[in-house]
């Protein structure tokens, strides 16, 4: 089982790039942010106060989370409910940082991601998030920090969410990066982590660059 760990900030394109890398390599794809989003969705469903850390931790023992690692169909479920689309709602994007700041939640998420990868029936898995290269899969043979200049990330996000204007997108990307960086520093590469800056290269060149790094078998 070869693990490719990819981190990066909001709007770096890490989710779509990671999925495409996994598809090219015949690997599984694990979007670890989806679990934080699903837990947030579930807490809101149950009316649990997101700032009540103990109450959120209390949900974990019976959190019926599942996610498919198939890069062409990353279905996310809580129990029997398909939440794949719902967890992308701005209501969740705005609230999820409160859950992701909770250190006991992070510990549960770490174990869960490791278990999902251990159980996967793929020759490898591309795992993306904020703490893949530094915590969850810090011993992975390939670790990449995917970055892009802030203005590029904002422009890409604005393109993704057509209804938003640029000022709103700028504020939202900056706010999410600032909130998320309270608990993990995903803006600086840890020792041994390869930085891939996608500011001046196309999507497909970004994917090929990472595929080449994986095929080379190391970060060297
Ligand atoms: O990548 P995303 O937008 O789906 O992530 C959702 C939230 O979860 C965001 O606040 C960052 C956080 N997250 C994290 O702290 N660690 C991860 N490995 C993945 C996501």
């Amino acid at each position: 089982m070869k693990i490719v760990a990819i981190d990066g900030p909001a709007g770096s394109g890490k989710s779509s790039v990671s999925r495409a890398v996994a598809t090219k390599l015949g690997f599984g794809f694990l979007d670890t942010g989806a679990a934080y989003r699903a837990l947030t969705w579930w807490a809101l469903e149950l009316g649990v106060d997101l700032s009540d850390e103990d109450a959120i931790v209390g949900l974990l023992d019976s959190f019926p989370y599942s996610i498919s690692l198939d890069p062409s169909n990353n279905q996310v479920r809580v129990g029997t409910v398909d939440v794949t689309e719902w967890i992308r709602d701005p209501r969740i994007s705005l609230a999820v940082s409160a859950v992701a700041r909770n250190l006991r939640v992070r510990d549960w998420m770490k174990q869960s991601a490791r278990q999902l990868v251990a159980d996967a029936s793929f020759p490898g898995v591309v795992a993306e998030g904020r703490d893949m290269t530094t915590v969850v899969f810090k011993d992975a043979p390939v670790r990449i920090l995917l970055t892009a200049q802030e203005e590029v990330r904002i422009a890409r996000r604005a393109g993704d969410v057509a209804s938003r204007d640029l000022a709103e997108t700028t504020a939202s990307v900056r706010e999410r990066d600032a909130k998320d960086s309270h608990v993990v520093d995903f803006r600086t590469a840890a020792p041994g982590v390869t930085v891939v800056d996608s500011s001046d290269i196309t999507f497909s060149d970004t994917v090929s660059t990472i595929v080449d790094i994986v095929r080379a078998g190391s970060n060297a």
Side-chain angles (χ1 to χ4, degrees):
M1 165 70 66
K2 186 162 190 172
I3 299 172
V4 179
I6 302 184
D7 288 326
S12 62
K14 82 189 146 13
S15 191
S16 35
V17 167
S18 300
R19 177 180 285 109
V21 168
T23 304
K24 269 204 170 174
L25 292 167
F27 283 13
F29 163 60
L30 179 61
D31 165 5
T32 56
Y36 289 94
R37 289 171 175 272
L39 181 61
T40 304
W41 175 84
W42 205 47
L44 292 173
E45 255 332 84
L46 298 176
V48 174
D49 177 0
L50 297 182
S51 64
D52 183 341
E53 294 212 353
D54 292 336
I56 298 292
V57 170
L59 295 177
L60 290 169
D61 273 348
S62 56
F63 179 40
Y65 180 69
S66 66
I67 185 167
S68 159
L69 272 57
D70 177 348
S72 65
N73 171 30
N74 286 118
Q75 195 183 53
V76 181
R77 284 173 177 271
V78 175
T80 56
V81 187
D82 182 342
V83 297
T84 316
E85 303 293 329
W86 297 345
I87 60 169
R88 303 293 152 197
D89 195 277
R91 180 180 76 108
I92 304 296
S93 304
L94 283 171
V96 63
S97 296
V99 171
R101 264 200 303 272
N102 185 322
L103 295 182
R104 284 170 291 164
V105 166
R106 299 197 71 79
D107 198 52
W108 189 95
M109 293 290 173
K110 174 176 77 181
Q111 309 299 345
S112 161
R114 287 179 179 166
Q115 194 61 51
L116 284 163
V117 166
D119 293 344
S121 54
F122 290 92
V125 172
V126 180
E128 66 96 340
R130 302 293 192 288
D131 57 354
M132 300 297 103
T133 63
T134 50
V135 179
V136 180
F137 299 113
K138 60 180 188 302
D139 299 324
V142 180
R143 293 180 299 146
I144 288 163
L145 180 65
L146 183 61
T147 60
Q149 284 156 18
E150 190 189 64
E151 56 270 31
V152 174
R153 296 191 287 113
I154 289 166
R156 286 180 185 157
R157 258 299 138 91
D160 283 353
V161 190
S163 59
R164 282 199 189 152
D165 67 19
L166 200 59
E168 203 186 323
T169 310
T170 304
S172 132
V173 167
R174 284 194 180 146
E175 190 189 327
R176 287 197 49 202
D177 283 351
K179 276 190 193 164
D180 291 344
S181 61
H182 283 313
V183 274
V184 239
D185 179 7
F186 52 82
R187 294 191 254 209
T188 343
V193 174
T194 303
V195 176
V196 174
D197 187 330
S198 71
S199 306
D200 300 318
I201 57 174
T202 62
F203 177 82
S204 69
D205 284 346
T206 310
V207 173
S208 309
T209 302
I210 297 178
V211 166
D212 289 347
I213 294 171
V214 178
R215 290 203 171 123
S218 75
N219 281 329

